[in-house]
Amino acid sequence: MTCIGKQGNPLSPQTVHDHMRDLKTFLRWVGREAPLRCLPFGASIMPRLVESETKVIPPAALARFFETAGEPYRSVGIFLLFTGLRPGEFRRLEWTSHVVMAGRPRLRFVAPKTGRARVVYLAPPAVEVLYKWRSVTGGQRYVSPWRPVNGCTAFARIGRMIGYHLSPGMFRHTFINMCADRGM
């Protein structure tokens, strides 16, 4: 089966997969059967997928990650898991212009992907990580301990060690599912 786009060109399998995912998310939201979640797709929907795909890290794999990962990847995982930031947003955070510790700790920035202003309130584990990084990095401009490297290679290596595919972006999806499970 070939899907045709607006100009009459065939759509790539990835585009079809993305549209199917968006449709499935919308239908779940309309049906209100269960909390909105990032659910796995079967291999039959997109031919290039070899097995079911999910972007959410199961609790057992998450626990193995935190046991196995050394610094700074353990603290990066904690920070991404408790803030829901995209890895690109995290790498661009600056101490002076984005981190506000007065009052309720929060991050203020413009999301590079959407161009919208965002405010992210920080959970206690994320605040602890920030204090630890602040003491270690001293006068460094950026919050991220692995700037400008993206860290995907290290997360993939740790994932191979624990037997589960990992990337920094998967922590964002796991954060969203944790929020949905708690009724947010």
Side-chain angles (χ1 to χ4, degrees), residues 69-147:
E71 290 299 330
Y73 301 104
R74 178 183 298 130
S75 54
V76 168
I78 290 170
F79 193 77
L80 292 175
L81 184 64
F82 284 96
T83 59
L85 294 178
R86 293 178 181 97
E89 294 169 346
F90 169 64
R91 283 196 321 272
R92 290 179 182 95
L93 286 180
E94 297 180 19
W95 287 109
T96 55
S97 58
H98 298 127
V99 179
V100 180
M101 297 303 280
R104 187 172 174 196
R106 62 195 176 278
L107 304 172
R108 289 188 321 204
F109 59 94
V110 175
K113 183 174 180 178
T114 62
R116 291 190 223 157
R118 288 187 60 195
V119 175
V120 176
Y121 290 97
L122 300 174
V127 173
E128 289 176 25
V129 167
L130 277 182
Y131 279 125
K132 180 169 58 170
W133 286 342
R134 186 61 153 186
S135 65
V136 171
T137 59
Q140 181 179 326
R141 177 179 172 189
Y142 293 98
V143 173
S144 170
W146 34 261
R147 177 162 178 84

